[in-house]
Amino acid sequence: MHQIPTRTATSDDYEFLWQLLKATMQDYVDQTWGWDEVWQQTYFRENFDPGENQIVVLNGQDIGVVAVKQTETAVFLSRIYILPEYQGQGIGTQLVESVKAEAFSEGLPVTLRVLKVNPARNWYERLGFVMAEERETHYYMKAMPT
């Protein structure tokens, strides 16, 4: 299994990341709270920090994003979005397994949250994540080093 290439996002990736968010999350956000385009665009713009994002590149094409935040006690997988036409090919699995391997090598668990309406919860469970907490709109999941 080869490493999926990534590169650090820049401000030039704003439009790609906005379109990626819409392509991957709009339906789930709409089911949870309703999708308000103006509010979503404003929130995205005000919270856009390209440096925390790694753009996933396949054959020279930007196809997704992965972002992690590390603390002293855990690695938080804050986002992993892959364009729908590239889903189901093992790309996301390789990225998550890479995040887990790096975190586990430091003895840290990997945590994440997923909207309850998002079927990705089942995928995370197949990748070794277990339910840590349930809230009104999200499941909080964790994978522990062995």
Side-chain angles (χ1 to χ4, degrees):
M1 178 164 34
H2 66 281
Q3 184 74 17
I4 301 290
T6 62
R7 64 173 177 79
T8 302
T10 69
S11 57
D12 292 341
D13 294 306
Y14 180 91
E15 187 61 28
F16 169 72
L17 290 170
W18 167 246
Q19 293 302 327
L20 180 63
L21 172 71
K22 287 180 63 169
T24 56
M25 295 300 297
Q26 184 172 356
D27 287 347
Y28 306 126
V29 170
D30 191 44
Q31 291 174 50
T32 304
W33 298 287
W35 181 269
D36 179 327
E37 185 83 9
V38 172
W39 188 93
Q40 291 292 336
Q41 282 183 327
T42 301
Y43 183 84
F44 184 82
R45 183 175 54 255
E46 290 174 353
N47 293 280
F48 181 68
D49 179 3
E52 70 181 26
N53 296 290
Q54 292 292 312
I55 302 294
V56 181
V57 182
L58 184 65
N59 300 324
Q61 177 78 28
D62 295 342
I63 64 156
V65 67
V66 61
V68 297
K69 296 178 182 176
Q70 184 168 335
T71 67
E72 291 182 14
T73 59
V75 172
F76 177 60
L77 180 60
S78 59
R79 79 183 56 82
I80 180 166
Y81 306 149
I82 304 294
L83 285 170
E85 58 267 33
Y86 292 94
Q87 293 176 8
Q89 299 178 29
I91 297 165
T93 296
Q94 285 186 49
L95 291 164
V96 172
E97 291 296 349
S98 177
V99 169
K100 285 172 49 186
E102 191 170 325
F104 291 178
S105 75
E106 298 178 32
L108 297 173
V110 177
T111 62
L112 60 85
R113 68 180 188 166
V114 60
L115 285 169
K116 286 184 171 182
V117 298
N118 189 336
R121 172 190 174 194
N122 298 321
W123 174 61
Y124 290 126
E125 288 175 340
R126 287 195 306 273
L127 295 177
F129 287 83
V130 296
M131 187 77 58
E133 185 179 348
E134 181 177 342
R135 295 194 187 163
E136 185 180 346
T137 57
H138 288 84
Y139 296 117
Y140 290 75
M141 304 181 80
K142 180 183 285 192
M144 299 295 290
T146 52

